[in-house]
Amino acid sequence: MLIQTFMLAFSTAIGQLIVALMFIWTARSEGPEMFGPVVAAISAGSTLAGFVDFGSNSLWVRELATQRMSLASVGHRLASKLAVGALVAVGWSAIFAMVAPATQLWIAGPIAVSVILSQSFAVPLRAAGRSDLVAIGMLVDRLVAISAFSVLLAVQIEPTLALWLSMTVGPVTASAVSRWVLSGSQKPTLKFSPQLNPWKGSRHFGLSSAAVSAQTLDISIMDFIAGPAAAGLYGAVNRWTQPMSLLAGAFTTASTPIVAQAATWKDAWPKVKRSAWLVLGAVFMCVAVAYLADPLVIILVGPEYADAGKVLQFLALGTIGAVLNQPLASFLQSLGRDRIVSTIVTSGVAVQLALVAFLSLQLGAFGASLAFCALQTMILILLILAIVTKKRMPRLPSGRHFRQ
């Protein structure tokens, strides 16, 4: 597990570095006014994908890992979800292209489809504990994206257009790779059934997933309330903390199937603790970024974004909470406590977005970073309390309730 987790962490870090470079290049080329609406639309696409998924991927990973769901059932559910997702994305793009083309929000449609494909086709690999293959898919995603971005810039495509096109092509390619590496016995057959509900049993997973996805609406809310300049300042630096979050995500992805197979947290911890250093390393990286925020902003995106230094500082401090929240929430879900996780995360994100709307009106981009920092810390405290107050978390009973 340690080697696979390291591979996933490495590919994640490289991938997020690539994305950060693409965003930095675009921000420097276009300025806050032009960059803000596009990055807001990309964030809206990620949110839309999260709502369409509604926790189904996480549920399928747990049920496949514990053999409570058949591979055939996953294939049927996946086909239905992809069909619904495509319809939703097309409808979204058509509406915003006609009603509000200047907002660039129509871009969210193709971004959402690419994210849904990439994440859904990785489910069998995650359930089988093949984090190494998940890592390869993620690396392919980002390498294809940066290659497409470079080619589009070379043929004089404007940077904002090149950015969202490349971030669509990358995940689609990764989804094809994820499906290709599966053997015949591990590859779910896609069979659409209009009577099948692909989200059956995923209510609490879905509430948590949708809430986490909704966090990316902070840029869209800021764009609407505080203006594109504030959204551009925030969007220029908000992804700089993602490598830390995704280091914790690598640990979580590799560990979740193991935790799901354990009877209690006490049984699971000895099997996952060797890789827990990734989370500690991510925390130290957050502290370093917070300390160096001001010079980093000036060096990377220029003096035009100098006000983003304080924004990055509080985003980095808030990411400490986010880094710890990922594995805590996932492990609680894997051990059957998805209801309490959904309650904590959903209510926390709702409060955060309300604070973003209020504070960004008063303080601009800095207000949004302050809201993020405060709520991630509060969610962390509540998740720790959920573990402490329930030391023994019994494994879910086996059964056929998810089989077709």
Side-chain angles (χ1 to χ4, degrees):
M1 175 188 163
L2 184 60
I3 294 176
Q4 291 183 340
T5 306
F6 177 78
M7 288 181 62
L8 191 58
F10 176 78
S11 65
T12 298
I14 295 297
Q16 287 309 304
L17 176 61
I18 289 172
V19 171
L21 290 173
M22 291 164 58
F23 271 66
I24 288 170
W25 182 278
T26 308
R28 290 183 70 100
S29 302
E30 300 292 345
E33 294 284 346
M34 294 292 293
F35 180 64
V38 174
V39 74
I42 292 173
S43 297
S46 298
T47 302
L48 183 61
F51 278 105
V52 171
D53 174 64
F54 202 68
S56 56
N57 288 339
S58 298
L59 175 69
W60 298 345
V61 169
R62 187 184 75 181
E63 298 304 306
L64 280 174
T66 54
Q67 299 182 347
R68 286 192 296 264
M69 181 184 286
S70 67
L71 197 61
S73 179
V74 169
H76 296 168
R77 292 166 185 269
L78 176 55
S80 298
K81 185 176 72 173
L82 292 178
V84 172
L87 288 175
V88 170
V90 169
W92 174 287
S93 293
I95 290 172
F96 280 98
M98 291 185 296
V99 175
T103 65
Q104 302 290 318
L105 282 173
W106 65 271
I107 293 171
I111 292 290
V113 170
S114 67
V115 172
I116 292 168
L117 281 170
S118 175
Q119 294 180 349
S120 297
F121 282 170
V123 165
L125 296 174
R126 290 172 56 198
R130 294 305 306 269
S131 300
D132 51 340
L133 297 180
V134 175
I136 292 172
M138 292 174 61
L139 199 55
V140 167
D141 175 347
R142 298 316 187 193
L143 290 175
V144 169
I146 190 65
S147 299
F149 185 69
S150 301
V151 169
L152 290 171
L153 290 179
V155 297
Q156 304 300 309
I157 299 296
E158 61 183 50
T160 51
L161 177 59
L163 178 65
W164 77 260
L165 282 175
S166 60
M167 292 195 69
T168 302
V169 172
V172 171
T173 306
S175 65
V177 171
S178 295
R179 189 156 176 84
W180 176 71
V181 298
L182 289 168
S183 64
S185 61
Q186 296 176 315
K187 189 178 299 183
T189 301
L190 300 179
K191 183 179 179 181
F192 175 73
S193 174
Q195 293 81 27
L196 183 64
N197 175 14
W199 300 280
K200 181 180 179 181
S202 68
R203 181 179 60 176
H204 296 300
F205 277 97
L207 290 173
S208 300
S209 174
V212 171
S213 298
Q215 284 183 290
T216 59
L217 288 174
D218 52 2
I219 300 180
S220 301
I221 292 171
M222 208 181 329
D223 184 37
F224 178 75
I225 292 178
L233 283 177
Y234 187 84
V237 298
N238 78 316
R239 285 180 175 266
W240 294 12
T241 58
Q242 284 198 359
M244 289 79 88
S245 295
L246 292 172
L247 281 176
F251 168 71
T252 303
T253 299
S255 304
T256 295
I258 296 172
V259 176
Q261 294 168 3
T264 65
W265 171 248
K266 184 178 179 180
D267 294 337
W269 173 244
K271 302 176 182 178
V272 302
K273 65 180 181 181
R274 290 183 60 195
S275 300
W277 62 269
L278 282 172
V279 179
L280 185 61
V283 170
F284 280 118
M285 289 175 64
C286 291
V287 174
V289 170
Y291 180 74
L292 299 171
D294 286 329
L296 278 175
V297 168
I298 299 298
I299 292 170
L300 293 176
V301 291
E304 188 178 5
Y305 291 85
D307 291 341
K310 187 177 289 186
V311 174
L312 177 59
Q313 187 176 55
F314 275 82
L315 285 174
L317 293 174
T319 303
I320 294 174
V323 160
L324 298 173
N325 290 339
Q326 280 191 64
L328 290 179
S330 181
F331 295 166
L332 281 166
Q333 289 174 326
S334 297
L335 291 166
R337 304 207 67 205
D338 39 294
R339 177 176 295 183
I340 185 64
V341 172
S342 70
T343 300
I344 292 171
V345 175
T346 303
S347 57
V349 171
V351 173
Q352 178 187 336
L353 294 179
L355 281 176
V356 167
F358 176 74
L359 292 177
S360 63
L361 183 62
Q362 308 297 322
L363 303 172
F366 173 66
S369 66
L370 192 61
F372 173 79
C373 183
L375 265 297
Q376 288 299 325
T377 303
M378 181 59 65
I379 290 172
L380 173 62
I381 293 171
L382 293 175
L383 289 174
I384 292 173
L385 287 175
I387 292 176
V388 171
T389 56
K390 187 73 173 179
K391 293 182 179 180
R392 182 175 180 82
M393 294 172 284
R395 182 175 176 172
L396 290 175
S398 60
R400 294 181 173 273
H401 53 287
F402 284 110
R403 296 182 185 275
Q404 284 192 331

